[in-house]
Amino acid sequence: MLRVAVALAWQKKRVGGMRMPSTAARAVHALKDENCPILISPSLVSLDLPDIWASNPTPHDFPSAHKCSNEQNAAIIDGKSMAEEIMSRIAFEVKRMKESIGKVPGLAVIMVGQRRDSQTYVRNKIKACGEAGIMSMMTELPDDCKEDEVLNALSRFNEDPSVHGILVQLPLPQHLDEAKILDVLSLEKDVDGFHPLNMGNLALRGREPLFIPCTPKGCIELLIRSGVEIMGKRAVVIGRSNIVGLPTSLLLQRHHATVSIIHAFTKNPEQITCEADIVITAAGVPNLVRGNWLKPGAIVIDVGTNPIEDPSCEHGYRLRGDVFYEEAVRVASLITPVPGGVGPMTIAMLLSNTLDSAKRAYDFT
Amino acid sequence: MLRVAVALAWQKKRVGGMRMPSTAARAVHALKDENCPILISPSLVSLDLPDIWASNPTPHDFPSAHKCSNEQNAAIIDGKSMAEEIMSRIAFEVKRMKESIGKVPGLAVIMVGQRRDSQTYVRNKIKACGEAGIMSMMTELPDDCKEDEVLNALSRFNEDPSVHGILVQLPLPQHLDEAKILDVLSLEKDVDGFHPLNMGNLALRGREPLFIPCTPKGCIELLIRSGVEIMGKRAVVIGRSNIVGLPTSLLLQRHHATVSIIHAFTKNPEQITCEADIVITAAGVPNLVRGNWLKPGAIVIDVGTNPIEDPSCEHGYRLRGDVFYEEAVRVASLITPVPGGVGPMTIAMLLSNTLDSAKRAYDFT
């Protein structure tokens, strides 16, 4: 298995007759520039291009489905080190904000119940806040709490000017109305980007959401930092959850990928996946995506973090992705590991969104 | 060419181990019931199903791409008569409302400029309102009007309690900020469903928009009334406009189709389209979709209404769809004509949304 840092290629692409640098190329350029923004991903509205269709293209023979082979070794996308690089830039910006205006960004977390995975996620987020100099606070509520208790906690954070981001750790216990709770969350503090207005603005060309959901944003940032040109690529998103699959498919579309969304009612998912240049999986099913689901040279982003019982591990379990990694790594050209791929980027994006929110609140540039 | 009314088949489908009638079957049942709602399409939230993934499916050989043949004759989906049936039910409901509470639904149209196609669309909508007993009013503004004039007209309609639906005929002239204008439109009167909050609620499972955009809603209603089961089907949407392509893809997903979205940056669109059971085109390019783009037996919904110069026609032009109809009709199993397919359904859906809005406003059931 080839464990190499992903090389960033300077690419040029002809768009609409105009010679312009690709997103990946601009990304590399930005990385070299010390004054560049923390994230390389461009604003969505800046990506908007008119659809100029080629009328009546010449019909041609269609190639048969790609044969999936087992001969290639993938380079590993090192999400951990990319996230660390972003985190250090965030920490620098937080320090600059504190020194300039005496303020720091604040993130509030509402955690209901005792889910082990949620507790781990929240702990990691709080820890990351501390490392970046972002103030964090948490309200923990019991599993059987009333909806009003959650709404009251939310209202307090909505009104607190030292809080710039609020996240309600999902999933909530069944008896709570998730939609109703998320609707109460102040749009300006919705750093998870789950509010339907944010989602609508993510979907609609010509518009820009206040916040892009963290995991999808992290996936795109991983791709761009790996030198992957998304425009025109066939992308398959496996899973259509409100928090990952759906916004990921919308975001890939804003980047001009040709997107197919696979879910549990899809027949022959492997057949569709095998045609994709980019596969992003968020199904929550360990080892769902086998090596023969992939086109040789595909780029694979694995959002799955599924605990698998393993008595030999410290906590009695280990994490597996949605992708059968040992098979996929022989077929793909680029792949994220689990853990150490998308996970750290999600947290970095949460902190980036919180920083952006604080900058907006204080009009700090 | 076989011109037949589409037969509605009573189908049963096994979902999650439970034997339940398919949407198409429920549709047929509803059509037989005099007390059934005007539209057959179910509420979106009622469609939500948990994604239960089959883990580690047995790998198998993938069939090669379907060979596109030219031997079949499609049945024609008669959008005009389906729309008439819906319109007569709307007219009945409007009459019932008037007799019960002395009120009728009201639709307001804001029309900027002199685009010939927009004028035709608006004229048809106003005419349909008259036929259904819905009150309509229109504000016409010149091509070079100021943004404030549009916003003022919009505010007046927002505040007018006799107006239950407002539509701003798109596209607007370039100098006007479409997003800003649509944001001012009252959510409760956004019968076009173009507000980002409506779009977000259309996208998100567990939520229901106040209004589903008219053309996508019409496409789904056409499919369901034609006895097409959408769940599990491969659907390709050609075009990703904010007003048709995007909401159509979101709506198909809510109906559990496996959706791929094709746009002008898609490579080999014909290859992807040729795998689809359902093709919905809204590219605005006449004859883009050739016969060999289609899988034999595919269901084709053509949203395109492209004027083609033709001196032999009364107005000097005739309408063509995005689909090369004469070729497609030999490959598809079901197809909408242009005109007489989606167009009449779009108007029926607009009136249906306006009626729903008035019912909500007056709490009339």
Side-chain angles (χ1 to χ4, degrees):
Chain A
M1 195 172 61
L2 194 62
R3 269 206 175 262
V4 295
V6 172
L8 287 158
W10 186 271
Q11 293 169 287
K12 295 267 183 189
K13 195 174 167 70
R14 195 171 278 277
V15 175
M18 195 169 53
R19 194 155 177 82
M20 58 183 284
S22 67
T23 309
R26 274 177 273 131
V28 182
H29 188 68
L31 274 180
K32 289 176 184 160
D33 180 358
E34 286 185 0
N35 296 320
C36 79
I38 294 170
L39 304 185
I40 300 178
S41 307
S43 82
L44 296 184
V45 166
S46 76
L47 289 171
D48 287 348
L49 290 169
D51 273 343
I52 299 160
W53 291 81
S55 185
N56 296 330
T58 318
H60 58 76
D61 289 328
F62 308 144
S64 61
H66 295 276
K67 187 174 166 289
C68 295
S69 81
N70 279 337
E71 285 150 21
Q72 202 168 340
N73 271 354
I76 311 305
I77 299 178
D78 188 348
K80 194 154 171 277
S81 76
M82 288 184 191
E84 278 167 5
E85 139 84 5
I86 292 167
M87 290 284 287
S88 74
R89 291 199 185 207
I90 292 172
F92 178 83
E93 280 294 283
V94 170
K95 190 161 163 278
R96 191 171 69 84
M97 180 184 262
K98 192 175 181 179
E99 286 168 2
S100 300
I101 59 168
K103 307 275 189 188
V104 294
L107 177 72
V109 180
I110 296 175
M111 166 86 189
V112 184
Q114 306 271 319
R115 277 180 67 116
R116 196 170 61 174
D117 54 349
S118 292
Q119 285 176 324
T120 307
Y121 295 143
V122 167
R123 196 168 50 237
N124 290 342
K125 289 167 185 173
I126 300 274
K127 182 162 165 269
C129 280
E131 285 164 9
I134 292 176
M135 183 190 66
S136 65
M137 59 207 85
M138 181 154 85
T139 294
E140 283 182 277
L141 292 166
D143 229 327
D144 59 350
C145 74
K146 294 209 179 73
E147 203 163 85
D148 273 354
E149 295 179 71
V150 185
L151 294 175
N152 288 340
L154 205 44
S155 297
R156 276 196 299 276
F157 288 139
N158 274 346
E159 283 155 28
D160 185 340
S162 71
V163 171
H164 309 100
I166 304 172
L167 68 88
V168 179
Q169 186 65 37
L170 301 179
L172 290 169
Q174 286 280 331
H175 71 285
L176 297 173
D177 184 342
E178 185 180 302
K180 185 176 166 192
I181 289 167
L182 292 181
D183 280 347
V184 170
L185 205 161
S186 162
L187 257 181
E188 288 71 27
K189 301 186 179 186
D190 175 31
V191 283
D192 262 338
F194 295 157
H195 192 284
L197 189 58
N198 257 326
M199 205 62 79
N201 283 325
L202 175 65
L204 288 160
R205 288 210 284 172
R207 293 184 179 261
E208 187 100 34
L210 280 177
F211 302 102
I212 298 173
C214 303
T215 301
K217 190 175 180 179
C219 292
I220 297 293
E221 187 76 13
L222 282 174
L223 289 172
I224 295 179
R225 283 181 180 251
S226 303
V228 175
E229 183 64 40
I230 302 170
M231 179 190 279
K233 291 287 193 308
R234 281 205 60 184
V236 161
V237 177
I238 306 180
R240 53 171 178 170
S241 67
N242 285 348
I243 62 178
V244 184
L246 169 70
T248 300
S249 65
L250 297 172
L251 194 50
L252 282 166
Q253 269 194 84
R254 291 292 294 265
H255 282 261
H256 310 291
T258 300
V259 181
S260 302
I261 304 103
I262 283 176
H263 46 76
F265 297 95
T266 300
K267 292 164 191 159
N268 306 327
E270 67 285 359
Q271 193 180 334
I272 305 170
T273 309
C274 205
E275 290 167 3
D277 305 303
I278 299 168
V279 177
I280 301 187
T281 69
V285 181
N287 302 325
L288 177 72
V289 179
R290 306 294 300 256
N292 64 353
W293 283 41
L294 299 172
K295 171 169 140 179
I299 295 148
V300 180
I301 307 286
D302 190 350
V303 180
T305 46
N306 311 292
I308 302 281
E309 274 190 40
D310 185 344
S312 71
C313 292
E314 189 188 352
H315 300 288
Y317 71 95
R318 63 194 166 86
L319 292 180
R320 283 291 290 189
D322 290 347
V323 177
F324 199 119
Y325 187 83
E326 293 74 12
E327 288 181 6
V329 81
R330 293 193 290 172
V331 187
S333 65
L334 270 174
I335 191 168
T336 56
V338 176
V342 176
M345 281 301 270
T346 296
I347 293 178
M349 294 302 114
L350 174 67
L351 270 50
S352 164
N353 279 352
T354 306
L355 171 62
D356 286 349
S357 180
K359 284 183 168 182
R360 258 198 297 264
Y362 297 130
D363 202 13
F364 178 77
T365 49
Chain B
M1 197 173 59
L2 194 62
R3 271 205 173 261
V4 296
V6 171
L8 286 158
W10 187 272
Q11 293 168 288
K12 295 264 183 192
K13 195 173 165 74
R14 196 171 276 279
V15 175
M18 195 169 53
R19 196 156 175 82
M20 58 184 286
S22 68
T23 309
R26 275 176 273 131
V28 183
H29 189 69
L31 274 180
K32 289 177 185 159
D33 179 359
E34 285 185 1
N35 296 319
C36 80
I38 295 170
L39 304 184
I40 301 178
S41 308
S43 83
L44 296 184
V45 166
S46 76
L47 289 171
D48 288 347
L49 290 170
D51 273 343
I52 299 160
W53 292 81
S55 186
N56 296 329
T58 318
H60 58 76
D61 288 330
F62 308 145
S64 60
H66 295 275
K67 188 175 166 292
C68 294
S69 83
N70 278 339
E71 285 150 19
Q72 201 168 341
N73 270 354
I76 313 305
I77 299 178
D78 188 348
K80 194 154 171 277
S81 76
M82 288 184 191
E84 278 167 5
E85 138 84 7
I86 292 167
M87 291 284 286
S88 74
R89 290 199 187 209
I90 291 173
F92 178 83
E93 279 295 283
V94 170
K95 190 161 164 276
R96 190 171 69 85
M97 180 184 263
K98 191 174 181 180
E99 288 168 0
S100 300
I101 58 168
K103 306 277 190 187
V104 294
L107 178 71
V109 181
I110 295 175
M111 165 86 189
V112 184
Q114 305 271 320
R115 278 180 66 117
R116 196 170 61 174
D117 54 348
S118 291
Q119 285 176 325
T120 307
Y121 294 144
V122 167
R123 197 168 49 239
N124 290 342
K125 289 167 185 172
I126 300 275
K127 183 163 164 268
C129 280
E131 286 164 9
I134 291 177
M135 182 190 68
S136 65
M137 58 208 87
M138 181 152 84
T139 294
E140 283 182 277
L141 293 166
D143 229 328
D144 59 351
C145 73
K146 295 209 180 72
E147 203 162 87
D148 273 354
E149 295 178 72
V150 185
L151 294 176
N152 289 339
L154 204 45
S155 297
R156 276 194 301 276
F157 288 140
N158 275 345
E159 283 155 28
D160 185 339
S162 71
V163 171
H164 310 99
I166 304 172
L167 67 90
V168 180
Q169 186 64 37
L170 302 180
L172 290 169
Q174 286 280 330
H175 71 285
L176 297 174
D177 184 342
E178 185 180 302
K180 185 177 166 190
I181 289 166
L182 292 181
D183 280 348
V184 171
L185 205 161
S186 162
L187 257 183
E188 287 72 26
K189 301 185 179 186
D190 175 31
V191 283
D192 263 338
F194 296 157
H195 192 285
L197 188 57
N198 257 326
M199 206 61 81
N201 283 326
L202 176 63
L204 287 160
R205 289 210 284 170
R207 292 183 180 263
E208 187 101 32
L210 280 177
F211 302 102
I212 297 173
C214 303
T215 301
K217 189 175 178 177
C219 293
I220 297 293
E221 188 75 15
L222 282 174
L223 289 173
I224 295 179
R225 282 179 181 253
S226 302
V228 176
E229 183 64 39
I230 301 170
M231 180 190 277
K233 291 288 192 307
R234 280 206 60 184
V236 160
V237 177
I238 305 180
R240 53 171 178 170
S241 67
N242 286 348
I243 63 178
V244 184
L246 170 71
T248 300
S249 65
L250 296 173
L251 195 49
L252 282 166
Q253 268 193 84
R254 291 292 295 265
H255 282 261
H256 309 291
T258 299
V259 182
S260 302
I261 304 105
I262 282 176
H263 47 75
F265 298 94
T266 299
K267 292 165 191 159
N268 307 325
E270 67 286 0
Q271 192 180 335
I272 304 171
T273 309
C274 204
E275 291 166 2
D277 305 303
I278 299 168
V279 177
I280 302 186
T281 69
V285 181
N287 303 325
L288 176 73
V289 179
R290 306 293 301 253
N292 65 353
W293 283 41
L294 299 172
K295 170 168 139 179
I299 295 148
V300 179
I301 307 286
D302 190 350
V303 181
T305 46
N306 310 292
I308 301 282
E309 274 191 40
D310 186 343
S312 72
C313 293
E314 189 188 352
H315 301 290
Y317 71 95
R318 61 194 166 86
L319 292 181
R320 283 291 289 188
D322 291 347
V323 176
F324 199 119
Y325 186 82
E326 293 75 11
E327 289 181 6
V329 82
R330 292 194 290 173
V331 187
S333 65
L334 270 175
I335 191 167
T336 56
V338 176
V342 176
M345 281 300 270
T346 296
I347 294 178
M349 294 303 114
L350 175 66
L351 269 50
S352 163
N353 279 352
T354 306
L355 171 62
D356 286 348
S357 180
K359 283 184 170 183
R360 257 199 297 264
Y362 297 129
D363 202 12
F364 178 77
T365 48

